[in-house]
Amino acid sequence: MALEAPATKAREEEGEEKRTRRLLLILLALLGAAALFLLFLLIWLLRPKPAPPPPGRAGYPIRVVRAIYGFGTGPGQLLRNPLGVAFDPDGNVWISDTGNSRVLVFTREGKFLRAVGTEEPGRLSSPYGIAVDPASRRVYVADWTARAVFVFSTSGRYLERLPAPDQDPAVFGPLGFSPFDVQVMGEKVVTSSNDGLYFFDRTGHVVARWGGGKGRGKALGEFNFPDAIAVDSKGGRIYVTDTLNRRVLALDSSGKVLWVAGKPDEAGKIVGFFQLPRAVLLGPDGKLYVVDTFRFHREGIGVGHIVVLSPEGELLSEFGRAGTEEDSFSFPEKMAAGPGGLFALADRENHRVLLFRLVEPYPTPQPTEAENYSRSFQRP
């Protein structure tokens, strides 16, 4: 019995020593973790700070909601070179799927509804601009190779085509009728063709033309492939992208030019501000949104594909980067405004339509851009 006491005491001392070592190890581990945390915190605090944006640069204003690439991934289900886009009264998105010779209709949530213009009568060839008349729920599709404007109901049913069968073709001059865009202006339907604007009544007959019938030209009052038009019914104005003259014009209800931004080429070189304006939209905010297909820029802030103007032609902003990311564009075409501040843009070479919202304030144009614009602007 006397020998058991020292042995018990030795075991207790050994146990106490082990517990002390464990406690020390735990404390060392905690100190090591704290040291690592402090090291990472120090590295984070001392990290290089990005340079602040230059004064007047508000950042990139495009917030993509979704991209529409088609209604599947199989052959014939994807968009191919879409050129036109519009919203109907229900907020559905109509897309000129030009490379597939059809129009596709989606909800703004991206759900596919139907294909339009794939059967006779009303089979499409090269659909481009689209306009929707909310009052009559008629959809107008400009088809330049078919040389006609096709009219459908918002349910997709074919109704008729413009011009009327008995329209004298001589009114279109030597170049004939080749519509790129179409808009509704009161009781008239106005279309852009390769040499000017043509106004149809509701029977499908031409009742007026601006610049058309004589061929293309670059003098004011003449046009050279005007790709797009926007109608301000309240203000009695029409805005036109005179594409191959590389300019945008505002005209009153009689066709008088109010202002012009951009210049035709000189000696085969681009000398004005616009490079290839292919679309113009009068937004719900009253601003003009011009899509300049050739205005490539990787950053897209202060310069870019989308040029924002006031109704009087003042340069307000530029943005829209070039690329394949979902907030960038590659050869953008028509642009449309829909419900709830939603915009849509046909992104041709990315084979998609982007739905997005714009966040203000918009970026200020770069000084060189503003200077170039002022040199290209005039009021006749």
Side-chain angles (χ1 to χ4, degrees), residues 7 88 139 153 192 203 237 283 339:
D88 69 18
V139 182
S153 69
S192 63
T203 70
R237 290 184 176 186

Side-chain angles (χ1 to χ4, degrees), residues 246 265-270:
R246 307 190 198 278
D265 292 355
E266 294 178 6
K269 295 182 179 180
I270 298 176

Side-chain angles (χ1 to χ4, degrees), residues 264-287:
D265 292 355
E266 294 178 6
K269 295 182 179 180
I270 298 176
V271 295
F273 174 83
F274 286 107
Q275 299 179 41
L276 199 72
R278 299 269 283 181
V280 59
L281 166 70
L282 183 63
D285 55 5
K287 298 182 178 72

